[in-house]
Amino acid sequence: MKKIALSLFAIASLFTSCSNDDDVITTTSQVEAPATYTFQRNGETTVSYSGQTTRILMGEEFISALKDPSKTEAQLDDMFAHVEGNADFSDADLNASNKSIRSKVAASSDFFAANTADATVIKNDFDGWIANQVNDVFPRWNDDASAGVAGQIQEAGGGSIRYINAQGLEYNQAINKGLIGALMTDQLLNNYLSPAVLDAGDNVVDNNAGTVAEGKNYTNMEHKWDEAFGYLYGTDDATNPMLNQDSFLNKYLSRVEGDSDYQGIALSLYNAFKLGRAAIVANDYIIRDEQADIIKNEISKMIAIRAIYYLEQGRIVRSAGDNGGAFHDLSEGFGFIYSLQFTRQADSNAPYFTKTEVDGFITQLMEGNGFWNVADATLEAMSAEIANRFDLSIAQAGS
């Protein structure tokens, strides 16, 4: 699928050709969404999501470091679980930050506040993948891989060289795509868009009264919604966000938007974020929650579409004799399948796939020599189960 870097205004132009003088999109309710994600109080912006931008930028540098065989396990661990003031990154602002990637992995209020056991297991999964990259893959960086032996493998036709474990898995891809679920999706859907977070403490009373957080220009509720927005658009201008601007949710929104079968999903998400934020300003929490449900549905669907896509592409490419290309696709698929446990059914507090179900998929993928010999029927069955759960077409998602 072709890479795209497209303004949401350009996307909007595909669906609308008219504009109006008051520069708002009017709904059937009394709430009006602005044309862009622009909200002000006393002439100054109330939009803030710097913490999300910081974690995305930390993630970018971290996943790049996973492909540097000179890095030690301690160095990668320190990037993952950054401590304020430590020189873990090339960016001084990141080093000065008190934020870290690991602290927000499997840390949502709805899924993990009362389930610390699963949260610990998930964090340990990432710790283990880091350790295995350093101890199993880095030492054989220049050796040829084979079934049961870690090393490098090149894609057909002189393509990219991939660095895999004994079962064909690229740990850097497992971590990258796993963070899309365990960090970005979990925080966005199961934390910041949760009524338990939006309405915590005095948030509703304060928002109704326009009482801002101490030293800030926003109410706590406004800020929580913005933080959700930041995990999707955090590295770009909120008033005109572009797609394909990071290696996480934003990148894969561009991939799904670039598929004609799902064109319009980007505009749907941006509009829901705008209207939900406008509803908070208007103290209309019914509309706010309706928009949150749209976001939960669309983000969850994105995860499922990409899981199916990589399973199908991996199977097809492997059948053509390109193990290097197939293992890369299946490694990305591994990460998106892992991320399914962080999706959210809008009408419940449950993911589309439980941790137990996801663990079962992962076990099937990694059994024996893993990607070297996982059966086509197994990959097809996984695609079908995911498609059925989300009411998706394999033919559309997998191509």
Side-chain angles (χ1 to χ4, degrees):
M1 194 177 294
K2 192 175 180 181
K3 291 185 178 181
I4 60 173
L6 188 62
S7 165
L8 285 170
F9 284 132
I11 292 170
S13 70
L14 297 174
F15 302 95
T16 59
S17 58
C18 60
S19 61
N20 53 48
D21 293 336
D22 60 5
D23 204 30
V24 297
I25 301 167
T26 304
T27 72
T28 56
S29 76
Q30 297 302 307
V31 179
E32 295 180 332
T36 65
Y37 199 86
T38 303
F39 300 92
Q40 295 186 335
R41 178 176 285 109
N42 300 323
E44 296 183 0
T45 185
T46 61
V47 176
S48 175
Y49 46 80
S50 60
Q52 287 61 48
T53 302
T54 293
R55 286 194 173 87
I56 291 171
L57 294 176
M58 285 179 171
E60 292 287 353
E61 195 163 338
F62 170 58
I63 62 172
S64 292
L66 289 166
K67 296 181 286 185
D68 179 354
S70 72
K71 294 292 185 184
T72 67
E73 184 178 346
Q75 286 175 314
L76 293 173
D77 286 342
D78 287 346
M79 295 181 79
F80 185 50
H82 173 69
V83 174
E84 182 179 1
N86 286 357
D88 300 320
F89 301 98
S90 62
D91 186 326
D93 290 338
L94 298 183
N95 291 332
S97 175
N98 62 359
K99 305 291 191 292
S100 80
I101 302 167
R102 192 181 191 277
S103 66
K104 291 298 183 181
V105 167
S108 65
S109 175
D110 283 357
F111 280 11
F112 298 105
N115 188 6
T116 57
D118 278 356
T120 298
V121 170
I122 291 165
K123 284 179 166 66
N124 289 344
D125 283 343
F126 285 89
D127 294 337
W129 294 334
I130 293 168
N132 291 343
Q133 178 75 344
V134 173
N135 298 315
D136 298 345
V137 178
F138 282 178
R140 295 190 54 83
W141 201 251
N142 296 313
D143 299 332
D144 290 335
S146 59
V149 179
Q152 63 169 251
I153 186 170
Q154 188 168 25
E155 295 184 5
S160 298
I161 296 175
R162 305 300 180 182
Y163 300 92
I164 60 176
N165 76 352
Q167 296 161 301
L169 176 67
E170 291 178 89
Y171 286 118
N172 59 295
Q173 291 298 330
I175 293 170
N176 184 176
K177 276 55 180 185
L179 285 175
I180 289 175
L183 172 57
M184 283 73 180
T185 299
D186 186 48
Q187 284 293 299
L188 199 166
L189 305 187
N190 307 317
N191 196 64
Y192 291 120
L193 294 188
S194 165
V197 172
L198 289 168
D199 299 341
D202 295 327
N203 284 4
V204 174
V205 173
D206 288 346
N207 196 71
N208 288 341
T211 303
V212 298
E214 185 176 356
K216 304 297 182 181
N217 195 39
Y218 49 70
T219 69
N220 283 322
M221 189 187 296
E222 289 170 342
H223 185 48
K224 297 307 179 187
W225 188 272
D226 290 343
E227 290 184 293
F229 180 90
Y231 274 117
L232 185 55
Y233 305 109
T235 59
D236 205 19
D237 178 6
T239 65
N240 185 20
M242 303 284 287
L243 302 184
N244 203 27
Q245 298 302 296
D246 63 42
S247 300
F248 302 102
L249 277 174
N250 186 276
K251 175 178 179 176
Y252 290 94
L253 176 56
S254 82
R255 297 296 191 269
V256 176
E257 177 65 31
D259 185 332
S260 60
D261 292 311
Y262 304 107
Q263 194 171 73
I265 187 172
L267 186 61
S268 174
L269 279 164
Y270 191 55
N271 284 344
F273 270 113
K274 289 187 299 175
L275 183 55
R277 182 61 154 80
I280 291 173
V281 175
N283 306 328
D284 190 329
Y285 307 124
I286 293 175
I287 290 180
R288 179 200 72 180
D289 292 343
E290 288 173 349
Q291 302 313 301
D293 283 349
I294 290 171
I295 296 166
K296 290 171 185 176
N297 281 330
E298 299 287 46
I299 295 291
S300 296
K301 184 169 72 175
M302 280 173 52
I303 302 293
I305 290 168
R306 296 312 289 181
I308 295 168
Y309 174 81
Y310 287 119
L311 286 172
E312 290 299 290
Q313 290 301 305
R315 178 179 60 79
I316 293 166
V317 171
R318 191 180 61 175
S319 69
D322 180 6
N323 280 341
F327 294 173
H328 180 61
D329 286 331
L330 292 174
S331 294
E332 294 191 87
F334 177 106
F336 277 105
I337 287 169
Y338 191 85
S339 291
L340 289 170
Q341 63 191 296
F342 308 101
T343 57
R344 181 66 173 268
Q345 297 184 56
D347 58 352
S348 79
N349 288 328
Y352 280 85
F353 282 89
T354 66
K355 184 178 187 305
T356 299
E357 290 175 312
V358 167
D359 288 346
F361 284 150
I362 297 300
T363 296
Q364 290 180 68
L365 286 173
M366 294 290 98
E367 188 174 7
N369 285 326
F371 298 158
W372 292 95
N373 56 12
V374 61
D376 284 355
T378 299
L379 300 177
E380 290 173 317
M382 286 184 194
S383 291
E385 190 168 351
I386 296 166
N388 290 340
R389 192 74 57 93
F390 283 85
D391 195 24
L392 294 168
S393 160
I394 295 177
Q396 291 177 338
S399 61

